[in-house]
């Protein structure tokens, strides 16, 4: 009985996005709404910035964001100094804990991020050379189809709109899947079976093309 439950659990989680699993624990906690208040604050702040970028320039958004923070911290500092003057208190500023924090970024962490970025850049460059120089007809055809679909998508949405949609999905899809993964997995299994049937028929026709058959034999 325990083994059966284990198999069911594995089957339920097999469609969890590998990208989400690679996220830091702090990010996964936010998108899975482990702490709803923190997730809500991050989501609202993100939507505010993205919507602002859709209406204003990046410089304007940066300036207005800093001004908003400055107004909040300024008001808090004035109120704190006023209360302190009434009590004849000699305590520090209300942001003492923030000021005392070390703002230095770990060199090892920076090197790790840069190295990962370089590795991904090399992988991307290798793949782009592979498909653009047509080392494989099948892969290049898939890439061309993906580009065509992107061109259609770009006709309906601009980049900032797609980023907003992606941000909304990031804060909704993982949680929905976490709650309803058995039902979602069943639908995904059916879709995968149908796709495999169609793809097997397409591969039969592709194998009949002389150039593709010759490349496969090589």
């Amino acid at each position: 009985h325990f083994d059966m439950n284990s198999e069911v659990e594995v089957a339920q989680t097999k469609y969890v996005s590998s990208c989400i699993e690679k996220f830091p624990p702090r990010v996964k906690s936010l998108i899975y709404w482990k702490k709803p208040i923190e997730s809500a604050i991050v989501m609202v702040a993100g939507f505010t910035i993205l919507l602002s970028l859709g209406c204003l320039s990046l410089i304007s958004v940066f300036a207005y964001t800093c001004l908003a923070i400055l107004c909040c911290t300024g008001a808090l500092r004035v109120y704190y100094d006023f209360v302190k003057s009434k009590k004849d208190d000699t305590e520090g500023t209300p942001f003492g804990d923030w000021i005392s924090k070390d703002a230095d970024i770990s060199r090892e962490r920076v090197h790790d991020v840069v190295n990962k970025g370089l590795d991904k850049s090399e992988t991307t460059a290798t793949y782009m050379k592979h498909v653009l120089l047509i080392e494989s007809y099948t892969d290049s055809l898939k890439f061309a189809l993906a580009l065509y679909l992107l061109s259609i998508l770009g006709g309906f949405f601009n980049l900032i709109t797609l980023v907003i949609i992606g941000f909304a999905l990031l804060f909704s899809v993982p949680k929905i899947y976490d709650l309803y993964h058995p039902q979602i997995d069943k639908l995904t299994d059916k879709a995968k079976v149908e796709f495999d049937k169609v793809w097997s028929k397409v591969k039969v026709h592709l194998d009949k093309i002389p150039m593709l058959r010759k490349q496969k034999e090589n």
Side-chain angles (χ1 to χ4, degrees), residues 132-206:
L132 292 178
L133 299 182
I134 314 181
E135 295 181 6
S136 169
Y137 285 104
T138 304
D139 292 340
S140 296
L141 286 173
K142 291 178 182 178
F143 184 67
L145 178 61
L147 291 177
Y148 177 70
L149 294 176
L150 282 177
S151 67
I152 295 176
L153 188 64
F156 291 98
F157 307 102
N158 57 23
L159 180 60
I160 190 64
T161 304
L162 292 176
V163 173
I164 292 173
I165 294 173
F167 189 76
L169 293 176
L170 182 65
F171 276 86
S172 57
V173 171
K175 186 60 179 179
I176 293 173
Y177 181 84
D178 188 46
L179 294 174
Y180 303 105
H181 56 261
Q183 298 90 331
I184 294 174
D185 283 345
K186 289 180 182 179
L187 295 176
T188 310
D189 282 332
K190 293 180 181 178
K192 187 176 183 300
V193 170
E194 294 299 324
F195 176 80
D196 290 341
K197 289 180 181 178
V198 174
W199 179 242
S200 62
K201 295 178 181 179
V202 172
K203 285 185 68 177
V204 171
H205 292 288
L206 289 176

Side-chain angles (χ1 to χ4, degrees), residues 22-179:
K22 294 178 182 178
F23 285 165
R26 178 69 173 172
V27 177
K28 287 196 288 186
S29 175
L30 289 173
I31 61 178
Y32 280 110
W33 294 80
K34 301 296 184 183
K35 297 179 179 179
I37 295 178
E38 291 185 6
S39 296
I41 292 173
V42 172
M43 187 181 69
V44 171
F47 273 123
T48 302
I49 294 174
L50 290 174
L51 291 173
S52 300
L53 287 173
C55 302
L56 304 170
S57 66
L58 179 61
I59 296 176
S60 298
V61 172
F62 175 76
Y64 286 134
T65 302
C66 290
L67 283 172
I69 295 174
L70 189 62
C71 290
C72 294
T73 55
L76 182 59
R77 178 60 188 270
V78 170
Y79 172 77
Y80 183 84
D81 288 342
F82 177 76
V83 173
K84 187 172 67 172
S85 64
K86 294 292 185 180
K87 294 182 178 180
D88 295 328
D89 198 351
T90 58
E91 292 183 1
T93 67
F95 311 109
D97 293 338
W98 292 83
I99 295 173
S100 61
K101 283 186 177 180
D102 188 6
D104 293 335
I105 301 175
S106 172
R107 291 180 179 271
E108 294 181 358
R109 185 175 181 183
V110 172
H111 289 162
D112 185 51
V113 172
V114 171
N115 289 333
K116 287 182 179 179
L118 290 175
D119 291 339
K120 289 191 176 295
S121 299
E122 290 177 0
T123 304
T124 303
T126 302
Y127 177 76
M128 294 299 293
K129 183 182 71 172
H130 173 72
V131 294
L132 292 178
L133 299 182
I134 314 181
E135 295 181 6
S136 169
Y137 285 104
T138 304
D139 292 340
S140 296
L141 286 173
K142 291 178 182 178
F143 184 67
L145 178 61
L147 291 177
Y148 177 70
L149 294 176
L150 282 177
S151 67
I152 295 176
L153 188 64
F156 291 98
F157 307 102
N158 57 23
L159 180 60
I160 190 64
T161 304
L162 292 176
V163 173
I164 292 173
I165 294 173
F167 189 76
L169 293 176
L170 182 65
F171 276 86
S172 57
V173 171
K175 186 60 179 179
I176 293 173
Y177 181 84
D178 188 46
L179 294 174

